Amino acid sequence: MTLSDLIPAQMMPKFSAVALTALAPMQDVTDVCFMNTIASYGCPDYFFTEYFRVHDSSRLEKHILRSITENTTGRPIFAQSIGESIPDLVRTAQLLSHYPIAGFDLNMGCPAPKIYRKNVGGGLLRDPDKIDRILGELRSAVEGRLTVKMRIGFEDTSQFDRILDLIDKHQIDLLSLHGRTVKEGYHGTVHYDLIAHAVQRLRCPVLANGNITSAMSAMAVLSQTQAAGVMIGRSAIRNPWIFKQMREALSGQEISIVTLEQVRDYIDRLYQMPKVQAVQERSRISHLKMYLNYIGQSVDAEGAFLRDMRKAQTEAELFGVCDRYLLDRAGVFSAEPYAGIFARPKCEA
């Protein structure tokens, strides 16, 4: 399978002959509202839904289905599922086949303890034999594209090559590979050398995932791994211009500079999303702070915005902080997070 096989010709951006871009699925973040917001700043080549939970009594969650049925981004979307019950995964894949999806994606990478302890997500990486059976049954049942998102191992990488062989055996169409183990979570070094190893070993395209923080870091990862593209998660929350900036970098253009004033407009768009407006003020503040924890990494090198934002108790206080740091002072939004400035939201990326 080639890159052009993954995206309809009429949706193919000019730069996709060079590299693909995808917004990583992030539970409780990448719903239809956020996807549409991101699209207004420069679409990735395609999206993934939050994961559909699969078990013996599961049904397709309506709020996740909206990402498919109300997708106005002009880009294809893959439906992601998480589970280990083979009959129910097959049932879910068949149900989703009736919707306009680009393919069916199996999550074998979620590092949340409450997930992997159920032997789903990243927990599956402990059982290659089970992976073999799951992928075999899904490959027989899925007529369209079957893709996988995974990590390089659970506690270590001792089973990595065996699982890559299973990816090839079952003719997976695309692998999104986070270059850390499940137990490493989102900390420590990303093993881009192992992503490069997967690229060399597999017949399908591989997307590099993990700590890709800017257009220039994406270019470096592509150079090091020779991957077909990149999947970006948390950095797209912080900087929704990242896909546009990557397009510029890939085509040899000057990368756009983002101003603090533009960031203030982005915050307004996040606040105006229907899911935010539908809840009470306290919940609206909490939800917006989740995004601001990421955005604040590039506002000021001292982390003062993050400190003041976290103290705000009302909408008036919160937007007063935003205005003070983003409108009352002219400045540039840093393409990379400032050193030592960390986000503390509760979400997966």
Side-chain angles (χ1 to χ4, degrees), residues 104-124:
F104 181 83
D105 186 71
L106 177 65
N107 182 316
M108 298 200 311
C110 180
K114 67 178 181 180
I115 298 297
Y116 72 65
R117 286 172 185 157
K118 299 176 183 177
N119 296 317
V120 300
L124 281 175

Side-chain angles (χ1 to χ4, degrees), residues 1-8 11-13 15-17 19-26 30 34-36 38-39 42-50 67 71 73-80 100-105 145-149 172-177 204-209 222 227-233 236 242-243 246-247:
M1 175 165 287
T2 64
L3 299 184
S4 59
D5 292 325
L6 290 168
I7 300 179
M11 294 183 178
M12 181 74 76
F15 65 97
S16 288
L20 286 168
T21 58
L23 176 65
M26 294 172 281
T30 50
F34 185 73
M35 289 179 186
N36 288 337
I38 284 284
C43 263
D45 284 325
Y46 54 91
F47 295 90
F48 286 77
T49 67
E50 302 166 86
S67 299
N71 176 13
T73 66
R75 292 288 186 265
I77 184 166
F78 286 80
Q80 186 184 69
I101 60 173
F104 181 83
D105 186 71
R145 300 183 187 97
L146 175 60
T147 66
V148 169
K149 185 178 189 299
I172 299 306
D173 294 303
L174 175 72
L175 174 65
S176 304
L177 184 59
C204 71
V206 176
L207 295 184
N209 178 227
L222 287 171
V230 295
M231 173 178 277
I232 301 172
I242 194 168
F243 299 112
M246 189 175 168
R247 181 182 305 128

Side-chain angles (χ1 to χ4, degrees), residues 81-122:
S81 289
I82 193 167
E84 53 86 30
S85 168
I86 294 175
D88 295 304
L89 283 167
V90 168
R91 172 177 58 85
T92 300
Q94 290 171 338
L95 288 172
L96 285 166
S97 71
H98 298 292
Y99 292 88
I101 60 173
F104 181 83
D105 186 71
L106 177 65
N107 182 316
M108 298 200 311
C110 180
K114 67 178 181 180
I115 298 297
Y116 72 65
R117 286 172 185 157
K118 299 176 183 177
N119 296 317
V120 300

Side-chain angles (χ1 to χ4, degrees), residues 28-206:
D28 301 322
V29 176
T30 50
D31 60 6
V32 65
C33 296
F34 185 73
M35 289 179 186
N36 288 337
T37 299
I38 284 284
S40 67
Y41 294 97
C43 263
D45 284 325
Y46 54 91
F47 295 90
F48 286 77
T49 67
E50 302 166 86
Y51 54 68
F52 291 93
R53 294 170 175 84
V54 177
H55 47 80
D56 59 0
S57 61
S58 63
R59 298 292 181 267
L60 298 180
E61 290 100 322
K62 291 181 180 179
H63 72 282
I64 302 179
L65 273 178
R66 289 185 58 212
S67 299
I68 300 168
T69 59
E70 300 176 25
N71 176 13
T72 61
T73 66
R75 292 288 186 265
I77 184 166
F78 286 80
Q80 186 184 69
S81 289
I82 193 167
E84 53 86 30
S85 168
I86 294 175
D88 295 304
L89 283 167
V90 168
R91 172 177 58 85
T92 300
Q94 290 171 338
L95 288 172
L96 285 166
S97 71
H98 298 292
Y99 292 88
I101 60 173
F104 181 83
D105 186 71
L106 177 65
N107 182 316
M108 298 200 311
C110 180
K114 67 178 181 180
I115 298 297
Y116 72 65
R117 286 172 185 157
K118 299 176 183 177
N119 296 317
V120 300
L124 281 175
L125 297 177
R126 295 175 291 196
D127 192 350
D129 291 337
K130 183 65 176 286
I131 292 173
D132 191 10
R133 295 194 297 273
I134 289 174
L135 294 183
E137 293 294 332
L138 284 175
R139 184 71 283 175
S140 296
V142 174
E143 295 183 2
R145 300 183 187 97
L146 175 60
T147 66
V148 169
K149 185 178 189 299
M150 63 177 256
R151 288 179 171 244
I152 57 176
F154 187 75
E155 289 193 51
D156 56 44
T157 60
S158 59
Q159 300 284 357
F160 186 48
D161 278 345
R162 184 180 177 196
I163 295 172
L164 291 180
D165 288 343
L166 296 175
I167 297 295
D168 251 1
K169 173 184 175 181
H170 296 294
Q171 301 175 27
I172 299 306
D173 294 303
L174 175 72
L175 174 65
S176 304
L177 184 59
H178 187 117
R180 296 184 178 101
T181 66
V182 171
K183 283 301 188 76
E184 286 174 322
Y186 301 105
H187 306 289
T189 301
V190 179
H191 306 282
Y192 296 118
D193 58 325
L194 292 181
I195 297 179
H197 174 72
V199 170
Q200 292 298 315
R201 192 177 183 96
L202 296 175
R203 288 174 291 179
C204 71
V206 176

